[in-house]
Amino acid sequence: QKEVEQNSGPLSVPEGAIASLNCTYSDRVSQSFFWYRQYSGKSPELIMSIYSNGDKEDGRFTAQLNKASQYVSLLIRDSQPSDSATYLCAVINAGGTSYGKLTFGQGTILTVHP
Amino acid sequence: GAGVSQSPSNKVTEKGKDVELRCDPISGHTALYWYRQSLGQGLEFLIYFQGNSAPDKSGLPSDRFSAERTGGSVSTLTIQRTQQEDSAVYLCASSLSFTEAFFGQGTRLTVV
C-alpha cells in the first residue's frame, strides 16, 4: 500500500465549476498535510496546509481533513483555466521510521476547460 | 535569499562523469529534502535531513548517490558515474520541522 494515494486523473471540469481532489494516507500518526500545485516544467508550489480535523478555507481553496478516515481533500471553487495543473497531496509522518519525512502522492492532473 | 536556491539550473554531463548539485535552503529551516522527478512522473524521495539527526537516506537509488549537509545549511547531492537513467529534475525543499516545505527551482540533469 502506498503511503499517500491520489487518483492520477485526469480530472476535467468546466470553468466555474467546483473541482474536488482527494487523497488518502496510510500512516495513522501523520500530523501535517499539504496541497501543492505543479505547473508543467515548474517546481511544486504550496497552496494549502492543514493540521487539524475539519475545513480550512483560503480564497477559492478549501482543504478538508478527516484523520479518522485518513482522508484529506482539496476543493477549488469557481475553477479557472489557470487552475489546470497537477495537484500533489503531501503528508508529514510523526512516528516510526518515516518520522518527519514529507511524503507525496503521485498527483492528480486537473484540466479546467472553458 | 528569500527562497530555496538550487544550482546549477541545468547540467549536461557525459555518461560516467560525476556531478554535484547544490541546494541553499531558506535561512533557519531545519529540514531539507531532495527529490527526483523524471519526465511526466511524480516526486521520488531521495534523502531527508533534519537538524543534527542522522539523515534518512532510504530513497537513494544506489550507492552512486550521496548527499551531505554542511553546518545545517547548504546541501550537496553528488551522483557518481552518472548513467542515462539519472536524467531528471532534481528538486530540493526546506522547512521548519513538521511545517510547510518550499521548493527551489530545481536542477535539470541530462546525461548524454
Side-chain angles (χ1 to χ4, degrees):
Chain A
Q1 180 186 10
K2 291 181 181 177
E3 293 181 61
V4 181
E5 294 207 51
Q6 299 179 250
N7 289 326
S8 60
L11 173 66
S12 182
V13 300
E15 184 174 357
I18 295 175
S20 178
L21 304 163
N22 304 312
C23 172
T24 58
Y25 58 94
S26 61
D27 190 341
R28 286 196 169 274
V29 296
S30 296
Q31 68 174 60
S32 306
F33 307 86
F34 310 97
W35 284 98
Y36 287 80
R37 177 176 62 197
Q38 187 176 27
Y39 293 115
S40 181
K42 300 295 186 182
S43 296
E45 171 193 12
L46 178 72
I47 54 173
M48 288 289 286
S49 60
I50 187 165
Y51 300 96
S52 55
N53 279 329
D55 295 359
K56 179 182 177 182
E57 186 175 320
D58 184 0
R60 295 187 295 113
F61 299 99
T62 298
Q64 300 174 317
L65 175 61
N66 184 326
K67 289 188 177 182
S69 300
Q70 296 176 238
Y71 175 93
V72 57
S73 66
L74 179 71
L75 301 178
I76 306 174
R77 290 181 299 281
D78 188 23
S79 296
Q80 302 297 309
S82 59
D83 295 326
S84 299
T86 298
Y87 288 80
L88 300 164
C89 174
V91 171
I92 290 183
N93 298 318
T97 57
S98 297
Y99 183 76
K101 177 180 166 184
L102 180 63
T103 301
F104 283 84
Q106 284 298 102
T108 298
I109 298 170
L110 173 66
T111 301
V112 181
H113 54 86
Chain B
V4 178
S5 179
Q6 292 187 245
S7 60
S9 297
N10 285 283
K11 176 73 175 179
V12 180
T13 189
E14 293 182 352
K15 178 181 174 181
K17 298 287 189 182
D18 297 352
V19 295
E20 285 189 352
L21 311 180
R22 176 187 169 104
C23 174
D24 200 342
I26 294 171
S27 178
H29 277 191
T30 55
L32 187 148
Y33 306 86
W34 284 97
Y35 298 89
R36 178 169 72 174
Q37 190 170 38
S38 300
L39 190 63
Q41 302 299 309
L43 294 175
E44 177 188 4
F45 169 76
L46 296 178
I47 189 168
Y48 157 54
F49 297 90
Q50 173 58 56
N52 294 321
S53 301
D56 178 345
K57 304 179 181 180
S58 61
L60 294 178
S62 76
D63 59 8
R64 295 187 296 106
F65 289 72
S66 63
E68 62 177 17
R69 188 178 184 191
T70 53
S73 182
V74 172
S75 177
T76 302
L77 177 69
T78 301
I79 308 173
Q80 296 179 313
R81 305 181 302 280
T82 52
Q83 304 295 312
Q84 288 186 327
E85 61 263 29
D86 299 334
S87 296
V89 175
Y90 289 80
L91 291 161
C92 175
S94 73
S95 75
L96 295 171
S97 297
F98 296 96
T99 64
E100 297 91 349
F102 299 93
F103 281 83
Q105 82 281 14
T107 293
R108 182 175 299 277
L109 176 65
T110 304
V111 182
V112 298

Short mmCIF file of all heavy atoms in Angstrom, two decimals, chain A residues 92-93 98-102, chain B residues 28-34 45 47-57 68-69 71-73 75 93-101:
data_model
loop_
_atom_site.label_atom_id
_atom_site.label_comp_id
_atom_site.label_asym_id
_atom_site.label_seq_id
_atom_site.Cartn_x
_atom_site.Cartn_y
_atom_site.Cartn_z
N ILE A 92 3.30 14.71 6.32
CA ILE A 92 4.48 14.51 7.16
C ILE A 92 4.13 13.49 8.24
O ILE A 92 3.14 13.64 8.95
CB ILE A 92 4.96 15.82 7.81
CG1 ILE A 92 5.56 16.74 6.75
CG2 ILE A 92 6.00 15.53 8.88
CD1 ILE A 92 6.12 18.04 7.30
N ASN A 93 4.94 12.46 8.33
CA ASN A 93 4.73 11.41 9.32
C ASN A 93 5.31 11.81 10.67
O ASN A 93 6.35 12.45 10.73
CB ASN A 93 5.39 10.12 8.85
CG ASN A 93 4.77 9.63 7.56
OD1 ASN A 93 3.56 9.67 7.39
ND2 ASN A 93 5.59 9.20 6.63
N SER A 98 9.62 6.72 9.40
CA SER A 98 9.49 7.86 8.49
C SER A 98 9.26 9.15 9.24
O SER A 98 8.70 10.10 8.70
CB SER A 98 8.32 7.62 7.53
OG SER A 98 8.55 6.49 6.73
N TYR A 99 9.71 9.23 10.49
CA TYR A 99 9.48 10.38 11.35
C TYR A 99 9.96 11.67 10.69
O TYR A 99 11.13 11.80 10.34
CB TYR A 99 10.19 10.18 12.69
CG TYR A 99 9.96 11.27 13.68
CD1 TYR A 99 8.75 11.35 14.36
CD2 TYR A 99 10.92 12.23 13.95
CE1 TYR A 99 8.51 12.34 15.29
CE2 TYR A 99 10.71 13.23 14.88
CZ TYR A 99 9.50 13.27 15.56
OH TYR A 99 9.28 14.26 16.47
N GLY A 100 9.04 12.62 10.49
CA GLY A 100 9.37 13.91 9.94
C GLY A 100 9.49 13.96 8.43
O GLY A 100 9.69 15.03 7.84
N LYS A 101 9.38 12.83 7.78
CA LYS A 101 9.58 12.77 6.33
C LYS A 101 8.36 13.30 5.59
O LYS A 101 7.24 12.96 5.93
CB LYS A 101 9.86 11.33 5.93
CG LYS A 101 10.02 11.07 4.45
CD LYS A 101 10.28 9.58 4.26
CE LYS A 101 10.13 9.13 2.84
NZ LYS A 101 10.31 7.67 2.72
N LEU A 102 8.57 14.10 4.58
CA LEU A 102 7.50 14.66 3.75
C LEU A 102 7.29 13.73 2.56
O LEU A 102 8.16 13.60 1.71
CB LEU A 102 7.89 16.06 3.28
CG LEU A 102 6.89 16.81 2.40
CD1 LEU A 102 5.60 17.06 3.14
CD2 LEU A 102 7.51 18.11 1.91
N GLY B 28 17.37 29.38 8.46
CA GLY B 28 16.68 28.95 9.67
C GLY B 28 15.88 27.68 9.53
O GLY B 28 15.43 27.11 10.52
N HIS B 29 15.70 27.21 8.30
CA HIS B 29 14.96 25.97 8.11
C HIS B 29 15.81 24.78 8.52
O HIS B 29 16.95 24.63 8.08
CB HIS B 29 14.53 25.82 6.65
CG HIS B 29 13.28 26.57 6.33
ND1 HIS B 29 12.58 26.42 5.14
CD2 HIS B 29 12.58 27.48 7.06
CE1 HIS B 29 11.52 27.19 5.17
NE2 HIS B 29 11.49 27.84 6.31
N THR B 30 15.22 23.94 9.37
CA THR B 30 15.98 22.82 9.92
C THR B 30 15.87 21.56 9.06
O THR B 30 16.73 20.70 9.13
CB THR B 30 15.49 22.50 11.33
OG1 THR B 30 14.08 22.27 11.29
CG2 THR B 30 15.79 23.65 12.29
N ALA B 31 14.82 21.46 8.29
CA ALA B 31 14.61 20.26 7.46
C ALA B 31 14.95 20.58 6.00
O ALA B 31 14.64 21.66 5.50
CB ALA B 31 13.17 19.77 7.57
N LEU B 32 15.58 19.62 5.36
CA LEU B 32 15.94 19.77 3.94
C LEU B 32 15.70 18.44 3.24
O LEU B 32 16.09 17.37 3.76
CB LEU B 32 17.40 20.20 3.80
CG LEU B 32 17.88 20.57 2.39
CD1 LEU B 32 18.95 21.66 2.47
CD2 LEU B 32 18.40 19.38 1.63
N TYR B 33 15.03 18.51 2.10
CA TYR B 33 14.65 17.31 1.35
C TYR B 33 15.21 17.39 -0.07
O TYR B 33 15.24 18.47 -0.66
CB TYR B 33 13.13 17.21 1.22
CG TYR B 33 12.34 17.27 2.51
CD1 TYR B 33 11.98 18.49 3.06
CD2 TYR B 33 11.92 16.10 3.14
CE1 TYR B 33 11.23 18.54 4.23
CE2 TYR B 33 11.17 16.15 4.30
CZ TYR B 33 10.84 17.38 4.85
OH TYR B 33 10.10 17.43 6.00
N TRP B 34 15.58 16.24 -0.61
CA TRP B 34 15.89 16.09 -2.02
C TRP B 34 14.90 15.11 -2.64
O TRP B 34 14.65 14.03 -2.07
CB TRP B 34 17.30 15.56 -2.23
CG TRP B 34 18.41 16.54 -2.03
CD1 TRP B 34 19.17 16.71 -0.92
CD2 TRP B 34 18.91 17.46 -3.00
NE1 TRP B 34 20.11 17.70 -1.12
CE2 TRP B 34 19.98 18.17 -2.40
CE3 TRP B 34 18.57 17.77 -4.33
CZ2 TRP B 34 20.70 19.16 -3.07
CZ3 TRP B 34 19.29 18.75 -4.99
CH2 TRP B 34 20.34 19.44 -4.37
N PHE B 45 11.21 10.50 -3.60
CA PHE B 45 12.00 10.89 -2.43
C PHE B 45 13.41 10.33 -2.52
O PHE B 45 13.60 9.15 -2.85
CB PHE B 45 11.32 10.40 -1.16
CG PHE B 45 12.16 10.50 0.08
CD1 PHE B 45 12.35 11.72 0.71
CD2 PHE B 45 12.78 9.37 0.61
CE1 PHE B 45 13.13 11.81 1.85
CE2 PHE B 45 13.56 9.46 1.75
CZ PHE B 45 13.74 10.68 2.37
N ILE B 47 16.37 11.81 -0.12
CA ILE B 47 17.02 11.91 1.18
C ILE B 47 16.44 13.09 1.95
O ILE B 47 15.94 14.05 1.35
CB ILE B 47 18.56 12.05 1.02
CG1 ILE B 47 19.28 11.94 2.37
CG2 ILE B 47 18.92 13.35 0.32
CD1 ILE B 47 20.81 11.78 2.24
N TYR B 48 16.50 12.99 3.29
CA TYR B 48 15.90 13.98 4.17
C TYR B 48 16.85 14.25 5.32
O TYR B 48 17.32 13.31 5.98
CB TYR B 48 14.56 13.45 4.65
CG TYR B 48 14.00 14.00 5.93
CD1 TYR B 48 13.83 15.36 6.11
CD2 TYR B 48 13.58 13.13 6.95
CE1 TYR B 48 13.28 15.85 7.28
CE2 TYR B 48 13.04 13.61 8.12
CZ TYR B 48 12.89 14.97 8.28
OH TYR B 48 12.34 15.46 9.44
N PHE B 49 17.15 15.52 5.56
CA PHE B 49 17.97 15.97 6.68
C PHE B 49 17.07 16.71 7.67
O PHE B 49 16.26 17.54 7.28
CB PHE B 49 19.07 16.93 6.21
CG PHE B 49 20.07 16.34 5.28
CD1 PHE B 49 19.87 16.38 3.90
CD2 PHE B 49 21.23 15.76 5.76
CE1 PHE B 49 20.80 15.85 3.03
CE2 PHE B 49 22.17 15.22 4.90
CZ PHE B 49 21.96 15.27 3.53
N GLN B 50 17.25 16.43 8.96
CA GLN B 50 16.52 17.16 9.99
C GLN B 50 17.50 17.52 11.09
O GLN B 50 17.93 16.66 11.85
CB GLN B 50 15.38 16.31 10.55
CG GLN B 50 14.67 16.92 11.75
CD GLN B 50 14.09 18.28 11.45
OE1 GLN B 50 13.30 18.47 10.53
NE2 GLN B 50 14.50 19.28 12.22
N GLY B 51 17.84 18.79 11.17
CA GLY B 51 18.74 19.29 12.20
C GLY B 51 20.03 18.50 12.23
O GLY B 51 20.68 18.28 11.21
N ASN B 52 20.40 18.07 13.44
CA ASN B 52 21.64 17.32 13.62
C ASN B 52 21.43 15.81 13.60
O ASN B 52 22.37 15.04 13.85
CB ASN B 52 22.28 17.72 14.96
CG ASN B 52 22.74 19.17 14.95
OD1 ASN B 52 23.23 19.65 13.95
ND2 ASN B 52 22.54 19.85 16.06
N SER B 53 20.19 15.38 13.32
CA SER B 53 19.90 13.95 13.30
C SER B 53 20.52 13.29 12.08
O SER B 53 20.82 13.95 11.08
CB SER B 53 18.39 13.72 13.29
OG SER B 53 17.77 14.30 14.41
N ALA B 54 20.71 11.98 12.18
CA ALA B 54 21.21 11.22 11.02
C ALA B 54 20.20 11.34 9.88
O ALA B 54 18.99 11.23 10.10
CB ALA B 54 21.41 9.76 11.40
N PRO B 55 20.66 11.58 8.66
CA PRO B 55 19.72 11.74 7.55
C PRO B 55 19.00 10.44 7.22
O PRO B 55 19.51 9.35 7.45
CB PRO B 55 20.62 12.17 6.39
CG PRO B 55 21.99 11.70 6.76
CD PRO B 55 22.06 11.76 8.24
N ASP B 56 17.79 10.59 6.70
CA ASP B 56 17.02 9.46 6.18
C ASP B 56 17.42 9.27 4.72
O ASP B 56 16.99 10.03 3.86
CB ASP B 56 15.53 9.75 6.32
CG ASP B 56 14.64 8.65 5.77
OD1 ASP B 56 15.13 7.77 5.02
OD2 ASP B 56 13.42 8.68 6.05
N LYS B 57 18.24 8.26 4.46
CA LYS B 57 18.77 8.01 3.12
C LYS B 57 17.99 6.93 2.38
O LYS B 57 18.45 6.43 1.35
CB LYS B 57 20.23 7.56 3.21
CG LYS B 57 21.15 8.51 3.95
CD LYS B 57 22.56 7.94 3.99
CE LYS B 57 23.51 8.84 4.74
NZ LYS B 57 24.89 8.29 4.78
N GLU B 68 25.22 15.43 1.43
CA GLU B 68 25.65 15.94 2.72
C GLU B 68 25.05 17.33 2.93
O GLU B 68 24.66 18.01 1.99
CB GLU B 68 27.17 15.98 2.83
CG GLU B 68 27.85 16.91 1.85
CD GLU B 68 29.36 16.95 2.06
OE1 GLU B 68 29.90 16.04 2.72
OE2 GLU B 68 29.99 17.90 1.56
N ARG B 69 25.00 17.68 4.21
CA ARG B 69 24.51 18.99 4.56
C ARG B 69 25.50 19.58 5.56
O ARG B 69 25.63 19.07 6.68
CB ARG B 69 23.11 18.91 5.18
CG ARG B 69 22.49 20.29 5.38
CD ARG B 69 21.11 20.21 5.94
NE ARG B 69 20.53 21.55 6.00
CZ ARG B 69 19.42 21.84 6.63
NH1 ARG B 69 18.73 20.90 7.27
NH2 ARG B 69 18.96 23.08 6.64
N GLY B 71 27.01 22.24 8.15
CA GLY B 71 26.64 23.30 9.08
C GLY B 71 25.14 23.50 9.19
O GLY B 71 24.69 24.58 9.58
N GLY B 72 24.39 22.47 8.89
CA GLY B 72 22.93 22.59 8.98
C GLY B 72 22.33 23.52 7.96
O GLY B 72 21.17 23.93 8.10
N SER B 73 23.08 23.84 6.90
CA SER B 73 22.56 24.78 5.92
C SER B 73 22.64 24.18 4.52
O SER B 73 21.83 23.34 4.16
CB SER B 73 23.32 26.10 6.00
OG SER B 73 22.80 27.03 5.08
N SER B 75 23.27 22.10 1.22
CA SER B 75 23.37 20.67 0.95
C SER B 75 23.89 20.44 -0.46
O SER B 75 23.59 21.22 -1.38
CB SER B 75 22.00 20.01 1.12
OG SER B 75 22.07 18.63 0.80
N ALA B 93 13.87 20.97 -1.24
CA ALA B 93 12.88 21.73 -0.47
C ALA B 93 13.38 21.87 0.96
O ALA B 93 14.13 21.02 1.45
CB ALA B 93 11.53 21.02 -0.48
N SER B 94 12.95 22.94 1.64
CA SER B 94 13.31 23.11 3.04
C SER B 94 12.10 23.55 3.83
O SER B 94 11.14 24.12 3.29
CB SER B 94 14.46 24.12 3.20
OG SER B 94 14.03 25.45 2.97
N SER B 95 12.16 23.29 5.14
CA SER B 95 11.05 23.67 6.02
C SER B 95 11.53 23.76 7.46
O SER B 95 12.60 23.24 7.80
CB SER B 95 9.91 22.64 5.92
OG SER B 95 10.25 21.45 6.61
N LEU B 96 10.73 24.39 8.28
CA LEU B 96 10.86 24.21 9.71
C LEU B 96 10.25 22.83 10.03
O LEU B 96 9.51 22.29 9.22
CB LEU B 96 10.12 25.31 10.46
CG LEU B 96 10.68 26.73 10.27
CD1 LEU B 96 9.75 27.76 10.87
CD2 LEU B 96 12.07 26.84 10.88
N SER B 97 10.54 22.28 11.16
CA SER B 97 10.07 20.93 11.46
C SER B 97 8.56 20.81 11.38
O SER B 97 7.84 21.61 11.97
CB SER B 97 10.52 20.53 12.87
OG SER B 97 11.92 20.49 12.96
N PHE B 98 8.09 19.86 10.62
CA PHE B 98 6.69 19.48 10.51
C PHE B 98 5.79 20.57 9.95
O PHE B 98 4.57 20.51 10.09
CB PHE B 98 6.13 19.02 11.87
CG PHE B 98 6.80 17.78 12.38
CD1 PHE B 98 7.86 17.88 13.27
CD2 PHE B 98 6.41 16.53 11.96
CE1 PHE B 98 8.51 16.74 13.72
CE2 PHE B 98 7.04 15.38 12.40
CZ PHE B 98 8.09 15.50 13.29
N THR B 99 6.38 21.54 9.27
CA THR B 99 5.57 22.61 8.69
C THR B 99 5.79 22.67 7.18
O THR B 99 6.43 21.81 6.60
CB THR B 99 5.89 23.97 9.33
OG1 THR B 99 7.25 24.30 9.03
CG2 THR B 99 5.71 23.93 10.84
N GLU B 100 5.23 23.72 6.58
CA GLU B 100 5.24 23.85 5.12
C GLU B 100 6.67 23.81 4.55
O GLU B 100 7.56 24.48 5.05
CB GLU B 100 4.58 25.16 4.69
CG GLU B 100 3.11 25.28 5.05
CD GLU B 100 2.87 25.92 6.40
OE1 GLU B 100 3.84 26.08 7.17
OE2 GLU B 100 1.71 26.25 6.67
N ALA B 101 6.83 23.03 3.50
CA ALA B 101 8.11 22.97 2.79
C ALA B 101 8.02 23.78 1.51
O ALA B 101 6.98 23.78 0.83
CB ALA B 101 8.47 21.52 2.47
#
